[in-house]
Amino acid sequence: MDTLLPVASGGAAGPLTADELRELYSLMVAVRHLDTSAIAWQRQGIIPGYAPELGQEAAQVGSGYAVDTTRDFVFPTYREMGVARTMGVDMVAYMSTHKATWHGGLYNPMESRLAPIQAVVAGSVLHAVGWAHGQTLDSQDGVALTYFGDGASSQGDVHEAMNFAAVMKAPVVFFVQNNGWAISVPTERQVAGGSVAARAAGYGIPALKIDGDDVVAVLEATRRAFAHARSGNGPVLIEAMTYRRGPHSTSDDPGRYRSLDEERDESGIDPLERLRQRLLADGIADEAFFAEALAAAKAEEEQIRTGIQALGSRPGTEMFDLVFQETTPALQAQAANWREESEHV
Amino acid sequence: MDTLLPVASGGAAGPLTADELRELYSLMVAVRHLDTSAIAWQRQGIIPGYAPELGQEAAQVGSGYAVDTTRDFVFPTYREMGVARTMGVDMVAYMSTHKATWHGGLYNPMESRLAPIQAVVAGSVLHAVGWAHGQTLDSQDGVALTYFGDGASSQGDVHEAMNFAAVMKAPVVFFVQNNGWAISVPTERQVAGGSVAARAAGYGIPALKIDGDDVVAVLEATRRAFAHARSGNGPVLIEAMTYRRGPHSTSDDPGRYRSLDEERDESGIDPLERLRQRLLADGIADEAFFAEALAAAKAEEEQIRTGIQALGSRPGTEMFDLVFQETTPALQAQAANWREESEHV
Amino acid sequence: MSNSILENVDAAGDNTADDTVTNTAADSPASTTVMSMQQALNRALDEVLAENPKAVIFGEDCGRLGGVFRITDGLQAKHGPQRVFDTPLAESGILGMSVGLAMAGFHPIPEVQFDGFAYPAINQIVCQIARMNYRSRGTMPMPITLRVPSFGGIRAPEHHGESLEALFAHVPGLKVVSPSNPHEAYHLLKYAATRPDPVIFMEPKSRYWQKGEVDVSRHDAAGSPTGAKVMREGRHLTLVAWGAMVSRCLQVAELAAEDGIDIEVLDLRWLKPIDAEALAASVRKTRRAVVVHEAPLTSGLGAEVAQLITQSCFDTLKAPVERVTGFDVPYPSGDLEDEYIPNIDRILFGIQRVLEYKRG
Amino acid sequence: MSNSILENVDAAGDNTADDTVTNTAADSPASTTVMSMQQALNRALDEVLAENPKAVIFGEDCGRLGGVFRITDGLQAKHGPQRVFDTPLAESGILGMSVGLAMAGFHPIPEVQFDGFAYPAINQIVCQIARMNYRSRGTMPMPITLRVPSFGGIRAPEHHGESLEALFAHVPGLKVVSPSNPHEAYHLLKYAATRPDPVIFMEPKSRYWQKGEVDVSRHDAAGSPTGAKVMREGRHLTLVAWGAMVSRCLQVAELAAEDGIDIEVLDLRWLKPIDAEALAASVRKTRRAVVVHEAPLTSGLGAEVAQLITQSCFDTLKAPVERVTGFDVPYPSGDLEDEYIPNIDRILFGIQRVLEYKRG
Ligand SMILES: Cc1ncc(C[n+]2csc(CCOP(=O)(O)OP(=O)(O)O)c2C)c(N)n1
Ligand SMILES: Cc1ncc(C[n+]2csc(CCOP(=O)(O)OP(=O)(O)O)c2C)c(N)n1
Ligand SMILES: [Mg+2]
Ligand SMILES: [Mg+2]
């Protein structure tokens, strides 16, 4: 289906360099290690919950790597830790949302170019369209990259977003991580017709259905899509086929809806292992490099864990102070009442 | 695009008989005459407003004619007067909604198999899917026929409805009247990609894009679609290309967004005139028949007008009595208060 | 109304009225022109577009047509199709897109065509627009002014006469305002559309074509644009209303005056935050209050207003605050709308109940 | 709490308490079993499916998984995938589909997975489900029981701890109910799911795993399943609450009792229609009231409750009704949720304000 996007329109990038390939590997290891560690943190009581992205590292790192944070803007769901890490977002600030410190995370979305973590399924897809149309109105060349899942594709907002983007020729890249599941519902009971990419044609939007576990394919496709959108050709949709190897979240029990055998059969080769084999085969990296990358990932995780553990609660006054830019007398009265009754001041 | 629906699946009907063709003509004349009269009623102050369907007679009569009111169910918008008339709905009760007597109309939707008039754009498309799935659960063979416009196709509910219907293989016929306009917005600024029918493929739904001004084509397509859905093959979408020849409603002023020249160019041949020519050419009807049909239409309109003029306001108690099947003390208290203050009883 | 009211009115008369002159429509300075609310809103939007290059207007039929109520008439021609544009027919799309535009530094002024069609956008309004400033810790303000032609009274089809103020007022992160006349419409819209926070601007559609004096040079003689406004001074009872009900309450006050009952009419203007001070000040003086709205009674904004008054004036209140509202029924068709919307009689009955109230 | 409360309590003590015994959780007849609210709801649904072949359950992850809270656990296996099924991930779709199923003679029992995800379905709930019986003149009843896991207290992600009762209660054509314990959950769900009208069933998710005694043989010792319920008798003040706040109010009452303050706790149960009689009866006795809810203050259901009490008990009330509620801020993240949800201290402060109130 990859032919839907004319190859010519995405000619911006040549083949990946060895440095780029090694960097992709390092990122994927860092993400994998942080992700699996976060589950352990939850079991140890460091954080109350987490939504793992195990198995989606190639899709997330590959797409996030294409972003130009000087001009693009990214709209995540609740599962894009790998994208955030790839974009260089402060990971303590990012993970704070899973510590129940602040909904949306403590990072600065304007500076990091990553919109706040979004818990409403399909909630931010339209935001990407609005932001992208703003680029057109401002004669800027930024591109909006919006993530959503196979489950999210069922929401009306996704349809409205695709139609708006296509009518307005907004520079948006719709990036679907089709990980086979929306909690307990498999894609075939969710996505009629079997493919989100197939929907795009109905709006005249070019689409790429790609192997989401091949980080090189993901990065190349995303670069093509960015180049297409950036040149004023309107939106593109990428459907990255991958597999949610873990539970939906730390409170989910996949054993209730899929067997371990099924998991093994459906998940295919681990995307990280796949890149490792490729780098080895192409002589781009060796075991020493892999060991170094893992050590770096471990050091990084430790630093982030320390940061998360040190993270205190936000002061309760922020509940009131951050509602508006211009506060109101009613809210100030409530804040005063709260201080009196809860902080006894 | 008509090839999307395998011809075999719609083999239920042979070619139309002369009787059928004449009946279609009589229906179209009756609808045309009632429609243009309703605009006059509005100008004369008999009704406060009306949404004409001028130019859409073939699409409405042709599709409505395919309905089997012993088992199917129809979900209209606010503009399906021609469908209602074709289905044999009591037209005084139907037109009462335009007299502001009762939202939804005074006809009995369960008996007439026509859901109440729906003012929310795309509001009832999902109802059709639910009703149709009920047929599956009950092992019945009824089909739901749901109407919506090119403008409505932009609503998220339409997307959710198509996806649900396709996932559940619900016996639904989605009938889009693409009349070129959603109030002042032309289809090309509304429907990205240019065609609602093209969307269907993305859900694996067969679609027919047809000449909506050819009543025979409309009827044949709808019969094929019904046969397909009734045999357990799931939903079908029909996009009937037509033209809204009149204003959006009696309070609209199309001169603000389209010129009379454009209207003439875009609207094509009048569907009623087209059928007339065809019947004449095929020797199926003559001038006498047409005159008779017109006379019958006039008599019918007069009767309906008399009925509408005689229609009093509904008693105010209905405001309270029809909210619930089981009323509540709070509502009864409000009703008593209303009677006291407004009816002085 | 029965004569017995006057007994109680006399008892109420012992409260001396505050004589401060407020800037009601009766004042007519030289800079005043007469225009309809539709014209006042149109002019306000025109000026907002001219003053703020980041302001953009969009919605269904807002552009070429100028809106079904012509509020945006001529603005596309004047400011260009990039500043004023039509969208596809999808309210969630319109509001969701507004969020992204706000993130990109714009001041979106979207329109939903009728109140009842705000419902498809509620998810984006409540979960996104109202929370993005909070979620982003103040780094992504949402200066979105959502215009909603609101309330009933025009004999329209279903869903074209809804009152969503109680819903909007309950949502943390939203501000809500409704003008009652052309002067208020002009100034409140200009004020709302220059704020850094989301404001739901509820336009009383039944008043669009009513003319009134607009002093474009100044809003209020004194006081804040965010407060309530005394539209008529009175000593015996406070009528609280907003939107289209304000002019009806002023009519009622005139009628009651013929019976010697001196009613104060308070235009709440801001439905969130509510000007609790103004409610308290008025009712401390009049010692009686009736709140009037078109929305259904139960869980309507009248309950909030009544409770705010009761909290602040418990000791001085002579009777429980009375609510005269729409009923707990779906907004009826045109034929019955006069039975549904609080009419003069029902408001007078409500006043009578309060004035006649005797402790048991 | 300061000692000064007791002064006023003594003054309040002159009201003699009504001694009628009500069926509180303290009664334990032989037919009673102990179960969690999750189990009680599951059993109720199982029985509804068994008793009504037209009852169908559906939503996101309701089928195979048994729901993220396991409320529908095992029901698909027992009643089949036609009676209990998963839908695609679209709340408007789920509720819109319910309308059509109801038209076809079914009794849909849809679930939205969390309160915050009811917003995408509001258009179908307000404009379709709530109005279809009316619009169709009673020919198309909407026996739809919408289950909404509601309220906060579980340290969940954003939008997973919302309180939509004020919104739902304001919508004509809806009925709204919330159980406070397993016994209520079992009976109210069985009752709601056999009604011919749409009922929003708000389940207090923080109480799902709390166990309690359920007498499956009977709901109340006496009285209607549609009324409020006195959960604890008291003479000095009425605490009104629903859902998860009821048990917290019962705790507060125990604490206050140690100070000699005798609090009556009223579980409102039905949030629409509200049992105004029960409110009046209780407060006529106690002469003081505090209403507690998790939702934000402004335009919350507490305003309606307070105003109903004030209307019926104006003469006997010793103090204005007090509201102890969530603040007018978006529901915060887990770390701050104990600051947001009315906690024992804040409820006690509210009680104190009422007891200490002196006419000025
Ligand atoms: C509007 C809305 N409905 C329901 C939910 C609950 N929910 C959270 S994630 C999820 C499944 C999402 O599946 P998908 O879009 O495929 O993303 P994935 O979790 O697989 O990354 C659901 C139902 C939600 N967060 N938002
Ligand atoms: C949800 C909703 N939004 C807006 C409107 C106002 N409105 C009524 S009809 C209409 C245009 C509909 O266009 P289309 O679907 O093409 O149907 P047509 O009027 O052409 O038959 C609009 C915007 C509405 N009724 N419902
Ligand atoms: Mg998924
Ligand atoms: Mg149209």
Side-chain angles (χ1 to χ4, degrees):
Chain A
M1 200 169 300
D2 144 318
T3 52
L4 286 178
L5 181 67
V7 178
S9 69
L16 300 188
T17 65
D19 277 350
E20 284 178 326
L21 287 165
R22 278 189 296 266
E23 193 181 356
L24 287 170
Y25 183 86
S26 299
L27 285 164
M28 281 174 69
V29 172
V31 167
R32 165 70 54 92
H33 191 69
L34 183 55
D35 191 65
T36 47
S37 300
I39 296 180
W41 300 353
Q42 193 272 338
R43 306 282 182 247
Q44 293 156 23
I46 298 174
I47 57 176
Y50 180 66
E53 50 92 72
L54 189 72
Q56 300 178 216
E57 294 87 355
Q60 298 200 1
V61 171
S63 55
Y65 199 82
V67 174
D68 176 350
T69 54
T70 66
R71 50 183 174 173
D72 300 326
F73 215 99
V74 178
F75 297 80
T77 74
Y78 44 85
R79 205 189 288 289
E80 269 73 65
M81 185 273 277
V83 177
R85 172 63 185 81
T86 304
M87 289 173 65
V89 175
D90 178 305
M91 292 313 283
V92 173
Y94 180 90
M95 296 299 277
S96 67
T97 196
H98 299 297
K99 205 192 178 197
T101 314
W102 194 261
H103 291 320
L106 288 172
Y107 60 97
N108 182 318
M110 293 304 280
E111 284 168 13
S112 64
R113 312 295 282 181
L114 182 72
I117 289 164
Q118 175 65 246
V120 179
V121 162
S124 61
V125 186
L126 281 160
H127 308 172
V129 177
W131 186 90
H133 188 58
Q135 295 296 296
T136 307
L137 295 181
D138 275 344
S139 307
Q140 297 294 312
D141 65 356
V143 170
L145 172 62
T146 175
Y147 289 89
F148 58 94
D150 44 298
S153 76
S154 296
Q155 287 282 356
D157 272 11
V158 168
H159 157 74
E160 298 188 10
M162 291 205 230
N163 188 47
F164 272 57
V167 162
M168 300 188 307
K169 275 199 148 198
V172 182
V173 176
F174 297 101
F175 194 94
V176 186
Q177 286 173 82
N178 186 335
N179 64 4
W181 296 90
I183 308 185
S184 72
V185 178
T187 304
E188 62 269 22
R189 298 290 311 153
Q190 180 77 250
V191 181
S195 153
V196 182
R199 305 259 168 93
Y203 306 94
I205 298 180
L208 298 159
K209 185 167 178 172
I210 60 170
D211 180 344
D213 292 339
D214 175 351
V215 69
V216 175
V218 173
L219 174 53
E220 283 176 350
T222 314
R223 282 187 171 159
R224 275 176 69 199
F226 267 81
H228 180 91
R230 210 184 296 287
S231 332
N233 300 310
V236 182
L237 187 145
I238 296 173
E239 183 174 18
M241 304 308 291
T242 179
Y243 194 79
R244 198 198 74 209
R245 289 170 176 252
H248 170 73
S249 74
T250 45
S251 35
D252 184 31
D253 173 10
R256 294 176 72 97
Y257 52 83
R258 68 187 193 195
S259 68
L260 288 176
D261 281 352
E262 280 165 345
E263 264 181 39
R264 204 177 317 103
D265 291 351
E266 291 166 1
S267 57
I269 312 168
D270 173 12
L272 184 59
E273 181 56 24
R274 210 156 126 180
L275 181 59
R276 209 180 76 94
Q277 296 296 353
R278 178 175 180 154
L279 296 188
L280 276 176
D282 293 356
I284 288 174
D286 55 15
E287 292 299 343
F289 173 81
F290 298 140
E292 210 177 289
L294 183 60
K298 283 186 174 165
E300 180 179 324
E301 181 271 322
E302 204 170 306
Q303 214 177 355
I304 296 167
R305 176 165 33 81
T306 311
I308 282 291
Q309 285 176 306
L311 206 62
S313 292
R314 302 304 309 167
T317 46
E318 287 191 352
M319 282 198 297
F320 305 96
D321 296 345
L322 295 173
V323 180
F324 291 118
Q325 293 282 318
E326 295 181 338
T327 188
T328 71
L331 209 46
Q332 282 177 302
Q334 289 181 27
N337 185 253
W338 170 80
R339 271 195 301 276
E340 212 176 280
E341 293 183 354
S342 301
E343 305 226 298
H344 310 286
V345 295
Chain B
M1 200 167 301
D2 147 318
T3 52
L4 287 177
L5 182 67
V7 178
S9 70
L16 300 188
T17 65
D19 276 351
E20 284 178 324
L21 287 165
R22 277 189 296 266
E23 193 180 356
L24 288 170
Y25 183 85
S26 298
L27 284 163
M28 282 174 69
V29 172
V31 168
R32 165 70 56 90
H33 190 68
L34 183 55
D35 191 65
T36 47
S37 299
I39 297 181
W41 300 353
Q42 193 272 339
R43 307 281 182 247
Q44 293 155 23
I46 298 173
I47 58 177
Y50 180 67
E53 51 92 75
L54 189 72
Q56 300 178 217
E57 294 87 356
Q60 299 201 359
V61 171
S63 55
Y65 198 82
V67 174
D68 176 349
T69 54
T70 65
R71 50 182 175 172
D72 301 326
F73 214 99
V74 177
F75 297 79
T77 75
Y78 43 86
R79 205 190 288 290
E80 268 72 65
M81 184 273 277
V83 177
R85 172 62 186 81
T86 304
M87 290 174 66
V89 175
D90 178 307
M91 291 312 283
V92 173
Y94 179 91
M95 296 299 277
S96 67
T97 196
H98 299 296
K99 206 193 177 194
T101 312
W102 194 260
H103 290 321
L106 289 172
Y107 59 97
N108 182 317
M110 293 305 279
E111 284 168 13
S112 63
R113 312 293 283 181
L114 181 72
I117 289 164
Q118 175 65 246
V120 179
V121 162
S124 61
V125 186
L126 280 160
H127 308 172
V129 177
W131 186 91
H133 188 57
Q135 295 295 296
T136 307
L137 295 180
D138 275 344
S139 307
Q140 296 295 311
D141 66 355
V143 171
L145 172 63
T146 175
Y147 288 90
F148 59 93
D150 44 297
S153 76
S154 296
Q155 289 281 355
D157 272 10
V158 168
H159 157 71
E160 298 187 11
M162 290 205 231
N163 188 47
F164 272 57
V167 162
M168 301 188 306
K169 275 200 150 200
V172 183
V173 175
F174 296 102
F175 195 94
V176 186
Q177 287 173 81
N178 186 335
N179 63 5
W181 295 90
I183 308 186
S184 72
V185 178
T187 303
E188 63 269 22
R189 298 290 311 153
Q190 181 77 249
V191 182
S195 152
V196 182
R199 306 257 167 95
Y203 307 93
I205 298 179
L208 298 160
K209 185 167 177 171
I210 60 170
D211 180 345
D213 292 339
D214 175 351
V215 71
V216 174
V218 173
L219 175 52
E220 282 176 350
T222 315
R223 281 188 172 158
R224 277 177 66 199
F226 266 81
H228 180 90
R230 209 184 297 288
S231 331
N233 300 310
V236 181
L237 186 144
I238 297 173
E239 184 174 16
M241 304 307 291
T242 177
Y243 194 80
R244 197 198 77 209
R245 289 171 174 251
H248 170 74
S249 74
T250 45
S251 34
D252 182 33
D253 173 10
R256 295 175 72 98
Y257 51 83
R258 68 187 193 196
S259 68
L260 287 176
D261 280 353
E262 281 164 345
E263 263 182 41
R264 205 178 316 102
D265 290 351
E266 291 165 1
S267 59
I269 311 168
D270 172 13
L272 183 59
E273 180 57 22
R274 211 156 124 180
L275 182 58
R276 208 180 77 93
Q277 296 296 351
R278 177 175 181 154
L279 296 188
L280 275 177
D282 293 356
I284 288 173
D286 56 13
E287 292 298 344
F289 173 79
F290 299 140
E292 212 176 286
L294 183 60
K298 285 185 173 166
E300 181 179 323
E301 181 271 322
E302 202 170 307
Q303 214 176 353
I304 297 167
R305 175 166 32 83
T306 311
I308 282 292
Q309 285 176 305
L311 207 61
S313 292
R314 302 304 309 168
T317 47
E318 287 190 352
M319 282 197 299
F320 305 96
D321 297 344
L322 295 173
V323 180
F324 291 118
Q325 293 282 317
E326 294 180 340
T327 189
T328 71
L331 209 46
Q332 282 176 303
Q334 289 182 27
N337 184 253
W338 170 80
R339 271 195 301 277
E340 212 176 281
E341 293 183 355
S342 301
E343 303 226 300
H344 310 286
V345 291
Chain C
M1 287 169 77
S2 94
N3 273 337
S4 63
I5 298 180
L6 294 178
E7 290 173 36
N8 280 284
V9 164
D10 292 337
D14 54 10
N15 297 300
T16 34
D18 175 347
D19 277 326
T20 316
V21 175
T22 56
N23 175 32
T24 66
D27 304 27
S28 300
S31 57
T32 286
T33 45
V34 172
M35 58 179 101
S36 68
M37 187 183 286
Q38 176 269 334
Q39 289 169 318
L41 292 166
N42 182 264
R43 178 161 172 177
L45 290 174
D46 186 16
E47 292 174 11
V48 166
L49 286 172
E51 288 158 19
N52 179 3
K54 287 293 195 176
V56 281
I57 291 175
F58 49 93
E60 296 157 12
D61 309 290
C62 277
R64 197 143 42 136
L65 183 62
V68 295
F69 289 113
R70 309 290 184 263
I71 306 302
T72 54
D73 190 24
L75 299 181
Q76 184 180 70
K78 182 163 171 192
H79 299 277
Q82 294 230 319
R83 307 285 308 282
V84 182
F85 55 94
D86 292 327
T87 65
L89 207 177
E91 291 77 12
S92 191
I94 294 167
L95 276 296
M97 173 177 169
S98 301
V99 173
L101 280 166
M103 287 175 170
F106 288 84
H107 189 124
I109 310 177
E111 172 185 292
V112 297
Q113 199 161 79
F114 287 88
D115 30 44
F117 310 132
Y119 289 113
I122 287 296
N123 181 43
Q124 285 291 338
I125 296 172
V126 174
C127 298
Q128 306 299 338
I129 291 177
R131 296 194 194 191
M132 196 55 81
N133 185 73
Y134 189 78
R135 188 184 292 149
S136 72
R137 304 178 54 73
T139 62
M140 287 180 151
M142 289 286 118
I144 296 170
T145 312
L146 170 60
R147 292 182 39 253
V148 187
S150 290
F151 316 123
I154 63 163
R155 224 173 142 72
E158 198 175 0
H159 315 290
H160 292 63
E162 303 287 305
S163 298
L164 279 78
E165 69 269 26
L167 190 171
F168 289 135
H170 189 48
V171 178
L174 296 182
K175 297 175 180 178
V176 188
V177 66
S178 185
S180 63
N181 62 41
H183 180 79
E184 293 300 325
Y186 172 81
H187 287 285
L188 288 173
L189 184 51
K190 283 205 75 175
Y191 182 79
T194 50
R195 309 297 2 121
D197 293 309
V199 180
I200 311 290
F201 193 87
M202 302 180 71
E203 300 171 359
K205 64 175 92 77
S206 69
R207 310 290 302 165
Y208 274 148
W209 313 110
Q210 294 288 322
K211 296 195 181 229
E213 290 178 338
V214 178
D215 180 353
V216 295
S217 71
R218 57 173 200 172
H219 191 182
D220 298 303
S224 135
T226 62
K229 194 161 171 178
V230 175
M231 303 300 278
R232 183 191 197 280
E233 301 254 347
R235 290 167 303 137
H236 298 146
L237 183 144
T238 302
L239 264 180
V240 184
W242 49 90
M245 287 296 104
V246 173
S247 67
R248 183 156 297 176
C249 286
L250 287 168
Q251 275 181 285
V252 166
E254 292 307 315
L255 285 173
E258 292 172 15
D259 280 354
I261 305 165
D262 190 17
I263 288 180
E264 177 144 313
V265 178
L266 191 72
D267 178 357
L268 203 56
R269 301 202 300 186
W270 288 85
L271 311 178
K272 176 82 167 280
I274 294 175
D275 186 349
E277 298 277 306
L279 288 172
S282 178
V283 180
R284 266 199 288 269
K285 181 179 70 173
T286 62
R287 308 176 75 167
R288 292 177 178 87
V290 173
V291 51
V292 178
H293 61 64
E294 298 183 37
L297 176 77
T298 297
S299 202
L301 200 63
E304 181 66 39
V305 169
Q307 172 62 4
L308 287 174
I309 292 172
T310 307
Q311 272 177 275
S312 59
C313 305
F314 188 70
D315 297 347
T316 44
L317 268 180
K318 291 277 188 188
V321 179
E322 184 72 28
R323 295 182 281 174
V324 179
T325 71
F327 302 108
D328 287 341
V329 308
Y331 194 97
S333 196
D335 275 2
L336 289 173
E337 91 183 343
D338 290 343
E339 303 296 322
Y340 173 85
I341 300 183
N343 54 30
I344 290 178
D345 274 359
R346 285 181 53 216
I347 299 171
L348 285 170
F349 276 115
I351 290 169
Q352 183 175 358
R353 275 195 294 278
V354 170
L355 292 175
E356 288 180 350
Y357 186 87
K358 291 216 171 49
R359 293 189 169 267
Chain D
M1 286 169 76
S2 95
N3 272 337
S4 63
I5 297 180
L6 292 178
E7 292 173 34
N8 279 284
V9 165
D10 293 337
D14 54 10
N15 297 301
T16 33
D18 175 346
D19 276 327
T20 317
V21 174
T22 55
N23 175 32
T24 67
D27 304 28
S28 299
S31 57
T32 285
T33 44
V34 172
M35 58 178 103
S36 68
M37 187 184 285
Q38 177 268 336
Q39 289 169 318
L41 292 166
N42 183 263
R43 176 161 174 176
L45 290 175
D46 185 16
E47 291 175 12
V48 166
L49 286 172
E51 287 159 18
N52 180 3
K54 287 293 195 176
V56 282
I57 291 176
F58 50 92
E60 296 157 11
D61 309 290
C62 277
R64 197 142 43 137
L65 182 63
V68 294
F69 290 112
R70 310 289 185 263
I71 307 301
T72 54
D73 190 23
L75 299 180
Q76 185 180 69
K78 181 162 171 192
H79 299 277
Q82 294 230 317
R83 307 285 308 281
V84 182
F85 55 94
D86 291 327
T87 65
L89 207 178
E91 290 77 12
S92 192
I94 294 167
L95 276 294
M97 175 178 168
S98 301
V99 174
L101 280 166
M103 286 174 171
F106 288 84
H107 189 125
I109 310 178
E111 172 185 291
V112 297
Q113 199 162 79
F114 287 88
D115 30 44
F117 310 131
Y119 289 114
I122 287 296
N123 181 45
Q124 284 292 338
I125 295 172
V126 173
C127 298
Q128 305 300 338
I129 291 177
R131 297 194 195 193
M132 196 55 82
N133 185 72
Y134 189 78
R135 187 185 291 148
S136 72
R137 304 179 55 73
T139 62
M140 289 180 150
M142 288 286 118
I144 296 170
T145 312
L146 171 59
R147 292 182 39 252
V148 187
S150 291
F151 316 124
I154 63 162
R155 225 173 142 71
E158 199 176 0
H159 315 291
H160 293 63
E162 303 287 306
S163 299
L164 280 78
E165 70 269 26
L167 190 171
F168 290 135
H170 190 47
V171 177
L174 297 182
K175 296 174 181 179
V176 188
V177 67
S178 185
S180 62
N181 62 40
H183 180 80
E184 293 299 327
Y186 172 81
H187 287 285
L188 288 173
L189 183 51
K190 284 205 74 175
Y191 182 79
T194 50
R195 307 304 354 126
D197 292 310
V199 180
I200 311 290
F201 192 86
M202 301 178 72
E203 300 171 359
K205 62 174 93 76
S206 69
R207 308 293 301 165
Y208 275 148
W209 313 110
Q210 294 288 323
K211 296 197 182 227
E213 290 179 337
V214 178
D215 180 354
V216 295
S217 72
R218 57 172 199 172
H219 191 183
D220 298 302
S224 135
T226 62
K229 194 160 170 179
V230 176
M231 303 300 278
R232 183 191 198 280
E233 301 252 349
R235 289 166 304 138
H236 298 146
L237 183 143
T238 302
L239 264 181
V240 185
W242 49 91
M245 287 297 104
V246 172
S247 66
R248 183 155 297 177
C249 285
L250 286 167
Q251 275 180 282
V252 166
E254 291 309 314
L255 285 173
E258 293 171 14
D259 282 353
I261 305 165
D262 189 16
I263 288 181
E264 175 144 315
V265 177
L266 192 72
D267 178 358
L268 204 56
R269 300 202 299 184
W270 289 86
L271 310 178
K272 176 82 168 277
I274 294 175
D275 186 349
E277 299 277 308
L279 288 172
S282 178
V283 181
R284 265 198 291 268
K285 181 178 70 173
T286 62
R287 307 175 76 167
R288 293 176 177 86
V290 173
V291 52
V292 178
H293 61 65
E294 298 184 37
L297 176 78
T298 298
S299 202
L301 201 64
E304 181 66 41
V305 169
Q307 172 62 4
L308 287 174
I309 291 172
T310 308
Q311 272 177 277
S312 59
C313 305
F314 188 70
D315 296 348
T316 44
L317 268 180
K318 290 276 190 189
V321 180
E322 185 72 27
R323 295 181 281 174
V324 179
T325 70
F327 302 108
D328 288 342
V329 310
Y331 193 98
S333 196
D335 274 1
L336 290 173
E337 91 183 342
D338 290 343
E339 303 296 321
Y340 174 85
I341 299 183
N343 55 30
I344 289 178
D345 274 0
R346 285 180 55 216
I347 299 171
L348 284 170
F349 275 115
I351 290 169
Q352 183 175 359
R353 274 195 294 279
V354 170
L355 291 175
E356 289 180 348
Y357 186 88
K358 291 219 170 47
R359 292 188 170 266

